[in-house]
Amino acid sequence: MDQYIGKLLDNRYEILERIGIGGMAVVYKGRDHRLNRLVAIKILKEELAQDTEFRRRFHDESQAVAMLSHPNIMAVYDVSHTPELDYIVMELLDGITLKQYMQKKGGKLAWREALHFITQIMKALSHAHSRGIIHRDIKPHNIMVLRDGSLKVADFGIARLTSAAQATLTQEALGSVHYISPEQARGSHIDARSDIYSAGVVLYEMITGRLPYEGDSPVAVAIQHINSIPLSPREIDPEIPEALEAITMKAMASDVNQRYISADAMLADLEEFRKNPSINFDYTSADLLVTDGDEPTQVLGANTPHSVRSQPAHSDKYVPEEPEPHPRKRQSRPERRDEYDDYSDHGSKLPIILAIAAVAIFLVGIGVFLFVSFFSGLGISGDTVYNVPNLYNKTIEEAQAMDEVVEAQFQIVQGDTVASDLPEGYIVSQTPESGRNASAGSTITVTVSDGSQSSEEGEVMPDLENQDYRIAVSRLEKLGFSESAGNLTIRRENSEDVNEDYVISQDPDPETPLDEVDRVELVVSDGKKAEMVTVISFIDMTEAEARKKAEENLGLVVSGVTEEYSDDIEAGHITWQSINNGDEVAKGSSIQFRVSKGPDPNSTAEPSTAPSTEPSTQPTQTPGGGSSAAEKTVPVQVDLPRDGRETVEVVITVDGERKYAETVETKMMSVVVPLTSSGTRTVTVYIDGQEAWSRAIPFS
């Protein structure tokens, strides 16, 4: 049994169970007895706790993450750094990783959904970069998808302060090979643009359903990041908008000077694309090539690298002097004969030979470095944890050839053979189940079909109860029943007994002859009915008092606290809450607060000589025509209907002016839309043309 389970840390945090293992630490589920809430506790691995350097790095991580406070970044509640134990207390997220989410969706997302996710990722990176923090390991495995459709970037395990000294790269520092930036693979200096490259790879994978580079070994993949450019997304799927492809490829440019200058620049293009999907950014694949000449070694600012020339978000493209028609590999450098002319005049070849030898030694050094960096920790051990893939409806040979199985070195072993409607030899179930975590080299035991009830033979309706409804739908589609064909209906309802997304009942019953079945209805569980709570007003409470009432009394989760100047609210007291007073929400919902920093010391506004009896809802106009009231961005949550519709059109207006219009999938349950304005405005939400609600929201 794990030595920490059941222990009480600092007489406050009880460790309940282990939920994950990373390169440097073990993550546990715990309970904060002081605030009576569940938390995640990251404890530095025991074998690393004896190493001063690892303890320093772990402490640096806690300092880095503690500096961040953003709705799209996992919150840190507490940090402990003692001679005996190092741990970080973080919010416990109720969701799955973006990688798991993509696997559930078949590996590929609709481009609108990918746009929704990448926008949140870039907002998180913008916040981190603005505080000098580079994540260095952006990948879908480190991004959590919550039930409301929002994302949180997690695991700053190899994050680094921009101002920190650049240490020799280790395997952890390299990040994950499929998402690593070229400069990380080379061991060069990195800055915020390395995170932008990795985010570009994540976007590429979301819209295409595949990674940009694959290889027989991690070294081969890393070399491709350095020397190659990937297949363009529209060559994989012509339905992908050209502008989204341009954004993706610009973020993934091998030359850092051809990438977006900052996360904010990429966000600007994403916003322009969201408003106008047919926009043309005038960007070609030639921009992905590395420019001639070495990049100088220098310290760069995290969010606005000073070595990058000033440029707009979608700047004029870089055009090589002699571009090839369809570049796929990085162009070789032109010979620099001018450096050797003087020596050639004297008939000496020695400098040229020495230069060639130096280049050869450099290339060999890169190979050795990458080999040591990647393979030193790739042995089969319990410390490396992978997500178990879904092997259902595959032959054992197909399962063994899956990328996820090969990468994790999973061993596929055949167990029982059972009666099933799948063809003979196809996998019916597996242990451990898909979505679980397992150590590299673990054995997956599979149960295969004997084909006795195969749909090709037959005859009767299969038993679908207590199955994941996605598997049930897949089986029914093979029998000719689907929602698109109009002969399959899926109805959802709450259940106290059946897990969410599993089939509660079916009509017709199992074993009904198929020739008697015209249509099928599945009743799918939405899980236990959420307990609703009525939100109170937290305005003018202290932050500690608001947290206590929100979490202990109402069962809400405080997901973010930011600060703002206020002339009306005392410093340290709440000025704004993301859920309005009187609204009913599900217990466990996230709420955000703003806390007053007191009056703005830089404010030049003259105090009013005559106090107003009514608060103004409109900003004061300045002589130049501008507004003296600062605009604020307020996240507005829209709960989506659960009446069987797959998609709905959501339109949001502010004082009658349309600010948002998107078609969204109802399975997201809700969407959070940031609205920017000033004063108090009337916000109205329409779903499929029908007004859902309208209320006054303060933007100040």
Side-chain angles (χ1 to χ4, degrees):
M1 183 176 176
D2 193 297
Q3 60 172 323
Y4 290 112
I5 294 178
K7 285 194 173 182
L8 193 64
L9 304 180
D10 290 338
N11 201 32
R12 177 175 181 178
Y13 303 109
E14 180 187 5
I15 297 180
L16 303 177
E17 60 178 297
R18 186 170 69 181
I19 56 178
I21 302 176
M24 295 171 56
V26 181
V27 183
Y28 297 87
K29 179 180 179 180
R31 179 176 296 280
D32 180 351
H33 284 279
R34 187 175 301 172
L35 297 178
N36 190 29
R37 65 180 176 188
L38 295 175
V39 294
I41 304 172
K42 179 182 284 190
I43 300 179
L44 184 63
K45 285 183 178 179
E46 186 176 4
E47 61 268 26
L48 302 180
Q50 311 303 319
D51 189 301
T52 304
E53 173 63 15
F54 274 102
R55 295 194 69 187
R56 183 194 63 77
R57 289 179 58 197
F58 188 82
H59 186 56
D60 286 349
E61 176 198 352
S62 64
Q63 286 185 318
V65 184
M67 295 171 63
L68 307 178
S69 177
H70 191 274
N72 296 122
I73 296 178
M74 186 169 65
V76 172
Y77 297 144
D78 196 5
V79 174
S80 178
H81 183 63
T82 67
E84 295 77 30
L85 191 66
D86 295 85
Y87 66 86
I88 304 172
V89 181
M90 305 168 293
E91 65 176 317
L92 184 66
L93 301 178
D94 181 17
I96 59 176
T97 67
L98 179 56
K99 187 69 173 180
Q100 292 169 325
Y101 183 84
M102 287 192 288
Q103 289 172 343
K104 285 191 173 185
K105 298 293 287 287
K108 178 183 173 184
L109 305 182
W111 68 261
R112 291 184 184 275
E113 191 172 26
L115 174 64
H116 174 69
F117 286 160
I118 193 63
T119 300
Q120 296 181 69
I121 294 170
M122 298 314 298
K123 287 180 179 179
L125 291 179
S126 173
H127 177 78
H129 295 168
S130 70
R131 282 152 177 76
I133 304 298
I134 306 169
H135 189 286
R136 303 201 307 170
D137 195 20
I138 292 295
K139 58 183 178 179
H141 313 69
N142 288 340
I143 299 167
M144 298 296 294
V145 181
L146 307 188
R147 291 182 179 274
D148 62 0
S150 63
L151 295 187
K152 284 186 182 285
V153 178
D155 200 351
F156 280 72
I158 60 174
R160 179 179 295 279
L161 289 167
T162 308
S163 58
Q166 218 38 34
T168 302
L169 268 69
T170 64
Q171 184 175 340
E172 290 93 343
L174 282 169
S176 298
V177 64
H178 288 98
Y179 306 89
I180 191 174
S181 67
E183 57 270 25
Q184 282 176 286
R186 286 193 297 264
S188 303
H189 186 98
I190 67 170
D191 59 31
R193 291 169 293 177
S194 299
D195 283 349
I196 293 173
Y197 181 96
S198 299
V201 178
V202 173
L203 177 56
Y204 185 104
E205 185 180 10
M206 285 194 290
I207 61 178
T208 66
R210 55 180 282 183
L211 289 161
Y213 301 117
E214 296 285 2
D216 296 330
S217 68
V219 174
V221 176
I223 292 297
Q224 289 183 72
H225 279 288
I226 297 172
N227 292 333
S228 305
I229 60 174
L231 197 65
S232 66
R234 284 175 55 80
E235 289 182 73
I236 300 171
D237 182 3
E239 298 298 320
I240 296 172
E242 291 183 16
L244 186 58
E245 178 188 70
I247 293 172
T248 306
M249 301 301 272
K250 185 173 180 65
M252 291 175 57
S254 295
D255 185 350
V256 294
N257 290 323
Q258 300 305 321
R259 281 179 221 153
Y260 286 100
I261 190 173
S262 66
D264 289 335
M266 185 169 171
L267 274 170
D269 273 4
L270 289 169
E271 179 60 17
E272 287 190 40
F273 168 71
R274 186 190 66 78
K275 294 177 181 176
N276 179 17
S278 62
I279 191 172
N280 181 9
F281 289 127
D282 192 26
Y283 177 77
T284 69
S285 59
D287 296 89
L288 293 174
L289 297 174
V290 178
T291 57
D292 293 337
D294 292 331
E295 181 185 4
T297 301
Q298 52 191 310
V299 177
L300 302 176
N303 214 25
T304 53
H306 62 72
S307 69
V308 181
R309 63 183 179 276
S310 177
Q311 58 179 332
H314 42 87
S315 62
D316 292 338
K317 58 182 180 292
Y318 162 78
V319 181
E321 292 181 5
E322 297 180 5
E324 296 181 8
H326 299 287
R328 282 292 173 217
K329 299 290 183 180
R330 184 176 63 171
Q331 294 172 323
S332 59
R333 302 176 187 273
E335 294 180 2
R336 301 177 61 183
R337 297 186 58 83
D338 55 308
E339 295 182 13
Y340 304 111
D341 286 347
D342 292 340
Y343 295 97
S344 299
D345 292 342
H346 293 83
S348 173
K349 300 293 185 181
L350 181 59
I352 298 177
I353 295 172
L354 291 176
I356 294 173
V359 171
I361 293 172
F362 173 74
L363 293 175
V364 171
I366 287 180
V368 172
F369 166 75
L370 290 172
F371 183 88
V372 172
S373 297
F374 285 109
F375 284 103
S376 61
L378 289 180
I380 298 174
S381 73
D383 290 340
T384 305
V385 176
Y386 293 89
N387 187 257
V388 176
N390 184 6
L391 309 182
Y392 176 78
N393 200 21
K394 290 181 171 57
T395 65
I396 291 179
E397 292 75 17
E398 290 173 342
Q400 290 171 336
M402 292 176 64
D403 292 341
E404 300 95 323
V405 173
V406 173
E407 180 182 356
Q409 303 178 43
F410 288 137
Q411 305 299 311
I412 310 297
V413 176
Q414 180 175 340
D416 296 334
T417 300
V418 298
S420 168
D421 61 337
L422 292 182
E424 183 179 0
Y426 279 68
I427 296 173
V428 175
S429 62
Q430 63 187 83
T431 304
E433 297 175 353
S434 63
R436 303 271 185 177
N437 290 331
S439 301
S442 296
T443 297
I444 303 177
T445 303
V446 297
T447 300
V448 299
S449 170
D450 63 5
S452 62
Q453 298 178 7
S454 173
S455 59
E456 296 175 3
E457 298 178 9
E459 306 273 330
V460 297
M461 176 62 60
D463 185 357
L464 304 175
E465 292 184 10
N466 289 314
Q467 286 193 15
D468 186 304
Y469 88 95
R470 285 157 291 211
I471 295 176
V473 168
S474 176
R475 296 177 66 181
L476 288 171
E477 286 176 346
K478 292 175 183 175
L479 298 176
F481 300 97
S482 67
E483 289 183 288
S484 60
N487 55 6
L488 171 61
T489 303
I490 298 176
R491 183 164 53 86
R492 304 188 71 103
E493 62 182 42
N494 295 110
S495 172
E496 296 295 319
D497 305 316
V498 180
N499 292 335
E500 184 177 5
D501 289 335
Y502 278 71
V503 177
I504 300 174
S505 63
Q506 65 182 85
D507 182 25
D509 294 329
E511 305 299 323
T512 301
L514 287 181
D515 55 9
E516 299 178 8
V517 178
D518 295 325
R519 60 183 301 106
V520 178
E521 180 181 67
L522 297 182
V523 179
V524 179
S525 171
D526 260 341
K528 295 181 179 179
K529 188 173 182 179
E531 181 181 349
M532 305 300 290
V533 294
T534 301
V535 177
I536 64 173
S537 174
F538 298 95
I539 306 302
D540 217 16
M541 293 185 187
T542 64
E543 180 184 348
E545 182 183 5
R547 276 186 178 276
K548 183 175 181 180
K549 287 184 179 295
E551 294 176 342
E552 294 187 12
N553 297 359
L554 299 180
L556 302 176
V557 176
V558 179
S559 60
V561 178
T562 56
E563 293 182 321
E564 65 178 359
Y565 292 111
S566 172
D567 295 328
D568 305 316
I569 304 294
E570 181 184 350
H573 290 242
I574 303 296
T575 62
W576 172 87
Q577 60 193 68
S578 61
I579 305 177
N580 292 332
N581 176 29
D583 283 359
E584 281 198 357
V585 297
K587 200 170 185 177
S589 298
S590 295
I591 188 171
Q592 301 168 22
F593 294 131
R594 290 188 195 142
V595 177
S596 171
K597 295 196 293 184
D600 186 350
N602 299 319
S603 174
T604 58
E606 294 293 331
S608 174
T609 58
S612 172
T613 58
E614 291 290 330
S616 174
T617 61
Q618 298 295 330
T620 303
Q621 296 295 317
T622 63
S627 173
S628 63
E631 290 189 333
K632 299 293 183 183
T633 298
V634 175
V636 174
Q637 179 171 318
V638 179
D639 293 327
L640 303 177
R642 305 174 73 175
D643 54 7
R645 284 178 282 180
E646 291 187 357
T647 61
V648 293
E649 183 187 31
V650 177
V651 175
I652 302 179
T653 64
V654 178
D655 282 352
E657 181 182 356
R658 179 178 292 202
K659 293 293 186 180
Y660 176 88
E662 291 286 349
T663 299
V664 298
E665 296 181 340
T666 55
K667 63 184 175 184
M668 295 172 60
M669 299 176 68
S670 66
V671 292
V672 178
V673 180
L675 299 177
T676 302
S677 189
S678 59
T680 300
R681 305 294 184 200
T682 300
V683 175
T684 306
V685 175
Y686 299 88
I687 296 179
D688 281 347
Q690 300 294 319
E691 181 177 325
W693 55 262
S694 180
R695 64 174 69 107
I697 294 181
F699 288 88
S700 58

